[in-house]
Amino acid sequence: MKTVPMLVGFATVAFLAAQETRTYTGSSVDGSGNRVDGPAITESRSKAAFERTEKQQSVNGRMVPRERIEERVIRDDSTGREVERIVQKFDATGNPGPLEKTLTEERKVGDRLTVSSTVYRGDLNGNLQVSERSVIETLKTGSGQHSDIVIERPSINGAMETVERKSVEKMVSGDRYQENATTFRRGANGFYPASRIVTDHSQAKGEATESSAEYGSSGSGALELQGQTVTRTTKRADGSELSVVDVFGLSTPGTVQSRDAGLQLKERELVDRKPGAGGSVVETVSLQRPSVSDPGVLGPARVVSETVCRGTCK
């Protein structure tokens, strides 16, 4: 049965021995209008460690763990930083599945930052095997930065081979930046451009606008525009904030259009954040979608979730 996220998250923050703890609880409403408890999330963070546990309601109505994340800083000094991250997932009844461990090392030399990560995934016997390695090389320039990303995974014979490369160019000018990220994937004839995301962000007089255009490979091998997301965020004098997120695609749900028709507005998301009682922040999310009978016009806004944050709300 389909559920629609509906209500309420409470975040409580306590500082104990330089440790910050947040607890979120919530509920959702299913297609019949019945409220379902969960998810419930507990987070604690300090300078050297982070823990997060998410629980959900099982089929028998009990709250059972869904995912647990633990991070700890192994080393943090003038030569760099090392972090260990362990993710434990659980099935629908709360039984633990195989572990996933990621070791990340950061090294900075001058204007160059190198981030190397190795991901180990466990099998049913609890043995950890390398499933992915990645290296991110970022070089700062006078007006921005350039990043090269290489991802390796085991081949059919078990040896690590490069399966994906990414090039990210970011240019900054005052309160505006432009970012061009192109992903290359391994094919039968070598690497080919598989996707590109072009982001343009600007900010002025309490309003921020961000446009993100997504390009994908076509039958001819060239990258073509396939979607776009435009976000406009306005801060009000009372401290509240409204974000309007327009999602465009090649067609709207329930319709089929030719590529020559251009992008169509598929969905509008309204995210309204307002100060609440006792220093809390209330976030309400509403959606507007076109109907099948009139795909060119958005329907009325429908509230799909409401979250209340108490504590240090960002």
Side-chain angles (χ1 to χ4, degrees), residues 47-197:
K47 184 178 180 180
F50 169 77
E51 293 183 7
R52 182 181 190 272
T53 300
E54 179 178 344
K55 293 184 178 181
Q56 64 181 1
Q57 191 177 63
S58 66
V59 292
N60 58 16
R62 294 187 303 111
M63 295 298 292
V64 297
R66 178 179 179 272
E67 183 180 77
R68 181 178 295 125
I69 300 174
E70 297 179 5
E71 288 184 7
R72 67 184 183 95
V73 178
I74 301 173
R75 179 177 58 85
D76 190 358
D77 53 33
S78 59
T79 64
R81 190 169 186 262
E82 291 183 59
V83 177
E84 179 187 70
R85 175 185 175 94
I86 296 177
V87 178
Q88 174 76 76
K89 293 185 180 295
F90 301 82
D91 64 18
T93 60
N95 295 314
L99 287 175
E100 177 182 293
K101 182 172 75 171
T102 303
L103 294 177
T104 301
E105 180 182 8
E106 300 177 7
R107 290 180 287 110
K108 191 174 187 300
V109 179
D111 292 331
R112 184 179 296 275
L113 174 66
T114 303
V115 180
S116 304
S117 297
T118 304
V119 180
Y120 303 83
R121 290 194 174 93
D123 56 24
L124 296 178
N125 297 319
N127 300 314
L128 291 173
Q129 303 291 336
V130 176
S131 63
E132 183 176 289
R133 283 203 302 249
S134 64
V135 177
I136 305 173
E137 295 272 2
T138 300
L139 178 64
K140 289 188 176 181
T141 62
S143 58
Q145 63 184 36
H146 175 81
S147 298
D148 288 312
I149 304 168
V150 177
I151 298 176
E152 297 179 331
R153 296 191 183 100
S155 63
I156 192 170
N157 59 14
M160 301 296 290
E161 69 174 10
T162 301
V163 297
E164 185 175 292
R165 301 180 186 272
K166 182 178 289 188
S167 176
V168 183
E169 193 78 34
K170 184 175 183 179
M171 303 298 292
V172 182
S173 177
D175 292 330
R176 180 177 182 177
Y177 72 80
Q178 292 179 314
E179 184 177 272
N180 191 326
T182 305
T183 299
F184 301 85
R185 295 197 176 98
R186 180 184 291 275
N189 299 314
F191 286 89
Y192 67 96
S195 66
R196 178 180 295 126
I197 298 178

Side-chain angles (χ1 to χ4, degrees), residues 255-273:
T255 64
V256 178
Q257 294 172 285
S258 67
R259 291 181 175 269
D260 297 335
L263 298 180
Q264 308 295 318
L265 182 58
K266 298 172 58 178
E267 178 180 283
R268 173 169 292 165
E269 180 181 81
L270 307 172
V271 183
D272 200 357
R273 303 178 186 89

